[in-house]
Each structure stands twice: as C-alpha cells, then as structure tokens.
C-alpha cells in the first residue's frame, strides 16, 4: 500500500476509536514520526498535507530540516545536554524534556538564541528511564514548576512512551495528567499512543498520537 492508503487507514483507525470513546476525531492530533525515513518520504507526506514531523535524533533531523525548509520538526528522542543548542535550532517543539538540569540548560540557550520552544515533559512511570528516557514521578514536581515559570519553554503537556504490553499505562498517564492539571490550575495536553496501541491511548483520552510504522512502513 502507498503512503496515501496508509494515511487513510490510520485516520480510519483514529476515527473508529474516537467513535468508540465518544470523542471528536478532530480532538486527536496525528503526528507522523519520520525517523529513519528518507527525505523523499517526507516530501511525499508534505504533498499529502503533513507539515510537522516527529524525529528522534538531533543530527538526522537537522539534516532533514536543511533540505526541507517547509517542514517543522518535533523532538521525540532522549536529548543529551551537549546537543541542546543544535536541538533548539532544529526543532520547533521538544517532547522529551525529562530532567531539571536539561531544562535549565535549554532555558539559558533559548535566551541566548532568542527563541521560544514549547516543551512537553516525558514521563516514566515504569522504571524505563535509562533505556527510553523520561522523568520518574518523584522528580516531576520541580521540573513542572520550573517550566510553568519559563517564558522561553512554555509547557504544553506530558508525553509518555510506555513499554509494550503495559496495559494500564494509558489510564495511569490520564490520571497523572488530571492530577497535575488540578495542581497547576491549567491545561496540559497528553501525547501517547503509537502504531500498535493508538486505540487504547485514544480511549484513555490522549490529545496526540505519534505514528511511525503504520504510516511509513517498517524502519
Ligand atoms: C518511533 C517512535 C514513535 C512511533 O512508533 P511506531 O510504533 O513506529 O508508530 C512514537 N514515539 C516515539 C517516542 C518514538 O520513538
């Protein structure tokens, strides 16, 4: 099947799962994840109406960004501090902010570069941080408090990458989002759900699904 057909299939899955959950399909954003996909693939997706792409690796995304000025990129992968500056120059938004020292550094560099970059906090409730990145629940309060006070790094929401088969993960994240919404007294979006589990994420209330394989094929 070509890209157009796979986009139609993914949209149909999203619409169906929204119907089941009694949600408006327009309330769930589909973020295509284009890591390891060649630039030609992204051009095809651009022609079919996608303008924002999730990428995991700073250097790979920086190369794509210079070839595709009409696209914008969202960082999904773990960010090493020494790539923070390149990341701020490459990505319109950062979804994998997961520690206070990184947030401090990003804030300082964003000031130097005079840029504003919306950020999401990647949460790890499952002890996976060493492998996948993510902020453990016990370290969330100071990180969220810092970002709420930052004008350079406005806080958009919470992102999670639960290990496969962790069935309670999506409702755990929905509960966590609700608790922090109340504590902070402001809205927080939720980004979770990938090719294999978007239905469960939609059922739990995600605002964004990040889809790679189901759109672009195997990597
Ligand atoms: C690769 C990746 C995705 C997309 O995963 P698929 O299973 O290919 O849809 C989503 N989010 C993150 C953080 C990823 O690294």
């Amino acid at each position: 099947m070509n890209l157009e057909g796979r986009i139609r299939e993914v949209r149909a899955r999203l619409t169906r799962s929204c119907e089941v959950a009694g949600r408006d399909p327009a309330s769930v954003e589909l973020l295509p994840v284009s890591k390891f996909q060649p630039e030609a693939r992204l051009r095809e997706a651009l022609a079919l109406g996608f303008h924002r792409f999730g990428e995991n690796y700073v250097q790979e995304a920086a190369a794509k960004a210079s070839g595709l000025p009409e696209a914008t990129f969202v960082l999904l992968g773990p960010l090493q501090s020494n790539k923070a500056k390149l990341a701020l120059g490459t990505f319109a938004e950062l979804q994998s902010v997961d520690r206070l020292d990184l947030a401090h550094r990003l804030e300082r560099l964003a000031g130097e570069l005079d840029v504003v970059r919306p950020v999401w906090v990647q949460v790890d409730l499952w002890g996976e941080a060493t492998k996948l990145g993510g902020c453990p629940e016990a370290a969330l309060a100071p990180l969220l408090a810092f970002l709420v006070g930052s004008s350079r790094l406005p806080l958009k929401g919470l992102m999670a990458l639960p290990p496969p088969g962790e069935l309670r993960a999506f409702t755990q994240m929905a509960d966590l989002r609700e608790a922090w919404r109340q504590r902070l007294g402001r809205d927080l979006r939720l980004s979770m759900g990938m090719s294999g589990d978007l239905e469960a994420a939609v059922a739990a209330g995600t605002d964004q699904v990040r889809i790679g394989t189901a759109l672009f094929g195997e990597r």
Side-chain angles (χ1 to χ4, degrees), residues 28 34 36 44 51 57 65 67 73 80 83 92 94 98 100 116 119 122 127 144 164 183 185 187 208:
V28 183
S34 51
F36 302 143
E44 229 184 300
H51 296 279
Y57 304 99
F73 293 89
Q80 293 169 303
K83 301 225 175 85
L94 311 173
D98 61 359
L100 195 55
V116 173
V119 301
Q122 183 180 347
L144 291 173
R183 277 177 80 167
D187 193 29
Q208 182 190 72

Side-chain angles (χ1 to χ4, degrees), residues 32-54:
V33 178
S34 51
K35 58 172 177 258
F36 302 143
Q37 301 298 337
E39 232 177 83
R41 254 312 145 86
L42 280 79
R43 274 184 215 289
E44 229 184 300
L46 277 162
L48 294 169
F50 289 104
H51 296 279
R52 261 158 54 92
F53 299 90

Side-chain angles (χ1 to χ4, degrees), residues 4-123:
E4 203 169 357
R6 285 193 300 262
I7 293 171
R8 218 177 301 118
E9 252 186 21
V10 169
R11 290 218 187 273
R13 282 175 67 189
L14 273 175
T15 302
R16 227 177 301 127
S17 41
C18 282
E19 280 166 8
V20 169
R23 301 185 57 193
D24 176 1
S27 70
V28 183
E29 184 196 356
L30 169 57
L31 180 70
V33 178
S34 51
K35 58 172 177 258
F36 302 143
Q37 301 298 337
E39 232 177 83
R41 254 312 145 86
L42 280 79
R43 274 184 215 289
E44 229 184 300
L46 277 162
L48 294 169
F50 289 104
H51 296 279
R52 261 158 54 92
F53 299 90
E55 287 276 345
N56 287 52
Y57 304 99
V58 179
Q59 259 126 357
E60 179 184 342
K64 285 174 177 166
S66 66
L68 299 165
E70 65 276 48
T72 60
F73 293 89
V74 176
L75 176 67
L76 303 179
L79 179 58
Q80 293 169 303
S81 296
N82 61 3
K83 301 225 175 85
K85 193 169 187 176
L86 182 58
L88 287 168
T90 301
F91 296 98
E93 194 173 293
L94 311 173
Q95 282 206 354
S96 47
V97 175
D98 61 359
R99 53 196 194 276
L100 195 55
D101 66 328
L102 176 64
H104 286 156
R105 188 177 171 88
L106 287 167
E107 157 109 341
R108 179 174 57 73
L109 292 168
E112 284 174 25
L113 297 169
D114 194 19
V115 297
V116 173
R117 295 290 180 256
V119 301
W120 303 58
V121 167
Q122 183 180 347
V123 176

